[in-house]
């Protein structure tokens, strides 16, 4: 492209239009067998998803010879998902249940065409020609015991597999395609469900093989979050959730999660501008990105004569933006409080109007809930740069719902 004087236009601003057209369909079958002690479920499903993605430049500033809308990429992604499962629930004796289920999944991806990312080495848009097929076996076993009418204890163990997403493939270098992740999960806990109090105390340990984790980086062309496989990692913690209803019109409660989220034997890779190579730095055990060790919620509300009000105060602990436990790249902990108000008006003919108002960030907290980062070496000096997304101060939204019941 050239400017008005005929000179080659080396740099300019442009607008672009990205489009997608999708088709989705499938079949689901389900059967249940039940007697006094045993319930058995069987199921089968098949889904097929196809999606065309394309983009065009619609204008280029100062380009006198730009002829109009010009397509610069187009690709197709097809995904098939076949699943078979069986589940057994056995009441061994009163209140004591044993359950087991197993699922088989076949998943395949077919991605072809031209990607929306530019290859600065070949000076062309990246080509896509990806076919991946996966066979997964996902088993789970567990026990539970109900006692004293309102109380239950439980324990379970499971293995689960998950395939990468389309974006994981299209954002990955051709020589480093993403792998599926595998999870080994063990959980145990206690719950109560009475007229006045409901609550759950849950302990969990999740060990991952090739967990797909956010890197803290973004695709420079599409601004999508980037993911990578981490060979070995775990998440473990304790969750407490409790709600009390001392009066018909009053409730209050909250939840808290205390956790450790770690990558094992982690190696960080930094681009070195002095040598035009990538430096590998072994860090050992590090914190996983975007995984706070503490999250909590305090809540309270009233509901009477059609009026409702709910108070919600959220706390999110410090988060690392990358998986390297870099203290220079963190999201500060924050508190934020929201108030939700509602009023329901009953009309004739089983109609109801519900008016709602949400007062968000009541105390004008200045906080960021998300960020991305980059690190490099230049002149022998490491530079860490964080890019933060500040959230809105006090704001309000309203809603009107019309509900028609039969």
């Amino acid at each position: 492209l050239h400017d008005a004087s005929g000179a080659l236009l080396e740099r300019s601003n442009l607008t672009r239009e990205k489009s997608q057209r999708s088709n989705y369909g499938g079949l689901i079958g389900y059967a249940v067998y039940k007697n006094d002690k045993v319930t058995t479920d069987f199921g089968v499903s098949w889904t097929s998803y196809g999606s065309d993605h394309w983009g065009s430049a619609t204008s280029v500033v100062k380009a006198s010879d730009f002829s109009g809308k010009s397509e610069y990429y187009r690709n197709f992604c097809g995904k098939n998902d076949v699943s078979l499962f069986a589940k057994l629930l056995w009441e061994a004796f009163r209140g004591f249940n044993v359950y087991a289920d197993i699922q088989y999944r076949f998943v395949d991806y077919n991605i072809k065409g031209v990607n929306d990312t530019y290859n600065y080495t070949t000076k062309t848009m990246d080509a896509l020609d990806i076919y991946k097929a996966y066979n997964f076996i996902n088993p789970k076993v567990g026990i539970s015991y109900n006692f004293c009418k309102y109380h239950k204890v439980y324990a379970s163990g499971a293995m689960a597999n998950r395939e990468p997403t389309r974006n994981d493939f299209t954002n990955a270098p051709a020589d480093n395609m993403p792998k599926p992740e595998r999870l080994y999960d063990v959980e145990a806990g206690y719950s109560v469900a009475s007229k006045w109090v409901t609550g759950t105390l849950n302990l969990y340990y999740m060990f991952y093989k090739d967990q797909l984790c956010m890197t803290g980086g973004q695709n420079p062309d599409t601004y999508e979050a980037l993911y990578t496989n981490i060979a070995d990692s775990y998440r473990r913690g304790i969750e407490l959730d409790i709600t009390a209803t001392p009066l018909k019109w009053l409730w209050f409660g909250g939840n808290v999660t205390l956790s450790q989220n770690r990558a094992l034997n982690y190696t960080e890779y930094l681009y070195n501008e002095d040598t035009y190579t990538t430096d590998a730095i072994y860090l050992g055990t590090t914190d996983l990105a975007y995984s706070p060790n503490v999250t909590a919620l305090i809540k309270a509300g009233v509901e009477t004569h059609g009026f409702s009000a709910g108070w919600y105060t959220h706390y999110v602990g410090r988060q690392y933006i990358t998986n390297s436990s870099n203290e220079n790249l963190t999201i500060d902990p924050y508190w934020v409080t929201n108030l939700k108000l509602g009023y329901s008006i009953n009309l004739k003919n089983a109609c109801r109007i519900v008016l709602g108002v949400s007062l968000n960030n009541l105390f004008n907290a200045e906080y960021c809930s998300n960020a991305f980062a980059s690190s490099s070496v230049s002149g022998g000096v490491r530079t860490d740069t964080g890019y933060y997304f500040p959230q809105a101060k006090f704001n309000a939204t309203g809603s009107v719902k019309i509900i028609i019941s039969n």
Side-chain angles (χ1 to χ4, degrees):
L1 297 176
H2 301 81
D3 62 20
S5 67
L8 184 66
L9 191 64
E10 296 182 356
R11 184 180 181 89
S12 182
N13 292 322
L14 59 83
T15 57
R16 59 186 179 181
E17 178 183 279
K18 305 184 77 174
S19 303
Q20 178 179 344
R21 181 176 56 242
S22 301
N23 296 290
Y24 179 79
L27 297 171
I28 297 175
Y30 188 73
V32 179
Y33 169 78
K34 187 175 182 179
N35 62 26
D36 292 341
K37 293 290 185 179
V38 176
T39 301
T40 306
D41 302 69
F42 302 94
V44 59
S45 69
W46 165 76
T47 60
S48 181
Y49 176 79
S51 182
D52 290 295
H53 302 255
W54 70 95
S56 303
T58 57
S59 67
V60 180
V61 176
K62 297 180 180 179
S64 60
D65 54 350
F66 181 72
S67 59
K69 191 173 183 179
S70 176
E71 185 174 288
Y72 68 98
Y73 81 90
R74 178 179 289 267
N75 60 73
F76 170 80
C77 175
K79 180 182 179 182
N80 292 294
D81 190 331
V82 178
S83 175
L84 304 169
F85 80 88
K87 182 176 181 179
L88 173 70
L89 175 63
W90 173 44
E91 185 180 19
F93 54 87
R94 184 177 179 181
F96 185 84
N97 295 297
V98 179
Y99 63 89
D101 62 70
I102 188 165
Q103 179 196 46
Y104 165 75
R105 283 185 71 213
F106 169 80
V107 179
D108 76 346
Y109 276 104
N110 187 19
I111 307 173
K112 291 184 178 296
V114 177
N115 203 6
D116 58 354
T117 54
Y118 184 73
N119 189 313
Y120 291 90
T121 301
T122 63
K123 308 298 183 182
T124 60
M125 303 301 291
D126 283 317
L128 294 170
D129 187 5
I130 300 168
Y131 178 77
K132 296 289 182 180
Y134 306 105
N135 292 277
F136 297 139
I137 300 293
N138 301 319
K140 182 177 182 179
V141 294
I143 57 173
S144 66
Y145 179 56
N146 298 273
F147 62 98
C148 298
K149 190 176 181 179
Y150 303 119
H151 305 270
K152 181 172 77 170
V153 291
Y154 60 87
S156 66
M159 181 181 78
N161 298 272
R162 183 170 71 94
E163 70 279 6
T165 66
R166 172 190 174 274
N167 283 354
D168 294 330
F169 286 113
T170 58
N171 288 329
D175 60 350
N176 189 25
M177 284 287 104
K179 296 177 285 187
E181 68 176 22
R182 173 167 291 180
L183 164 65
Y184 301 92
D185 179 31
V186 177
E187 301 194 25
Y190 160 79
S191 66
V192 58
S194 71
K195 182 178 179 180
W196 314 107
V197 176
T198 60
T200 302
L201 177 66
N202 187 65
L203 292 86
Y204 64 90
Y205 182 88
M206 302 176 179
F207 179 80
Y208 291 85
K209 190 69 179 175
D210 295 321
Q211 181 179 183
L212 283 161
C213 295
M214 296 176 70
T215 67
Q218 281 191 328
N219 184 308
D221 290 308
T222 63
Y223 305 105
E224 295 165 341
L226 299 179
Y227 287 74
T228 190
N229 291 108
I230 293 180
D232 298 303
S233 60
Y234 68 82
R235 300 179 185 271
R236 64 187 180 191
I238 182 170
E239 303 166 314
L240 175 63
D241 188 340
I242 189 166
T243 301
T245 312
L247 302 170
K248 287 182 64 176
W249 53 270
L250 173 67
W251 56 266
F252 59 86
N255 61 63
V256 61
T257 299
L258 307 176
S259 63
Q260 289 183 328
N261 310 281
R262 304 287 190 265
L264 304 175
N265 300 311
Y266 183 72
T267 298
E268 181 183 29
Y269 295 93
L270 294 181
Y271 180 69
N272 191 317
E273 297 178 3
D274 301 326
T275 62
Y276 302 104
T277 59
T278 300
D279 295 342
I281 304 172
Y282 178 76
L283 299 176
T285 300
T286 62
D287 292 85
L288 291 172
Y290 306 100
S291 301
N293 291 333
V294 182
T295 60
L297 168 68
I298 301 170
K299 59 184 180 180
V302 295
E303 297 179 10
T304 180
H305 297 92
F307 172 77
S308 64
W311 176 285
Y312 304 88
T313 295
H314 300 262
Y315 173 77
V316 179
R318 183 174 302 279
Q319 303 172 68
Y320 290 95
I321 306 173
T322 68
N323 296 296
S324 58
S325 291
N326 189 335
E327 296 296 337
N328 297 321
L329 299 173
T330 65
I331 300 174
D332 290 338
Y334 60 87
W335 293 88
V336 63
T337 297
N338 303 322
L339 178 64
K340 296 184 178 181
L341 305 174
Y343 187 70
S344 178
I345 304 171
N346 292 317
L347 304 176
K348 295 180 179 180
N349 301 321
C351 292
R352 186 158 55 100
I353 296 177
V354 180
L355 307 176
V357 175
S358 295
L359 305 177
N360 306 310
N361 199 355
L362 274 178
F363 302 116
N364 253 3
E366 297 182 350
Y367 72 101
C368 294
S369 63
N370 198 8
F372 69 98
S374 63
S375 298
S376 61
V377 175
S378 179
V381 177
R382 174 178 176 140
T383 301
D384 298 312
T385 306
Y387 305 86
Y388 294 84
F389 299 91
Q391 300 303 296
K393 291 189 176 183
F394 172 77
N395 63 94
T397 59
S399 65
V400 178
K401 295 180 182 178
I402 300 176
I403 301 173
I404 301 175
S405 303
N406 294 327

